[in-house]
Amino acid sequence: MRKIRRGDEVEVISGRNKGQRGKVRINMVDDEKVVVEGVNIVVKHIKRGRARQAGRIEVEAPMPVSKVMLICPNCGARTRVGIRTGENGKNARFCKSCDKTIARPTVD
Ligand SMILES: [Zn+2]
């Protein structure tokens, strides 16, 4: 089971975006990278095309999942995540700070 999932609220713990928080928009599991809403913004320069003008757009660049930590929805702390078998026999994530099970993030 993955420790960070799409829809999780995370905080950046290192690099130039340190301290920023956002929701995981894309989880690139194979690359061990995540795209976090509003974090790690880069400016892309767009060439003029048939149906659009030249310009610059700001997009969120993927960043290593090792650079973010989960914010526990129960206690609000930036926390380490553990995995354990829940009451239903399935694996569930839990917060190593408050020891509560972390619910599946709601993804819209
Ligand atoms: Zn917690």
Side-chain angles (χ1 to χ4, degrees), residues 4 8-25 34-42 58-72 76-79:
I4 300 288
D8 279 340
E9 196 82 16
V10 295
E11 182 174 322
V12 182
I13 53 169
S14 67
R16 70 182 175 97
N17 300 296
K18 190 175 172 178
Q20 290 185 21
R21 292 181 172 202
K23 205 181 218 190
V24 175
R25 271 203 322 137
V34 287
V35 175
V36 182
E37 226 167 64
V39 176
N40 205 23
I41 302 287
V42 295
E58 297 189 341
V59 295
E60 296 126 344
M63 55 194 302
V65 70
S66 61
K67 282 194 171 183
V68 303
M69 276 181 95
L70 182 76
I71 297 166
C72 173
R78 193 176 89 175
T79 189

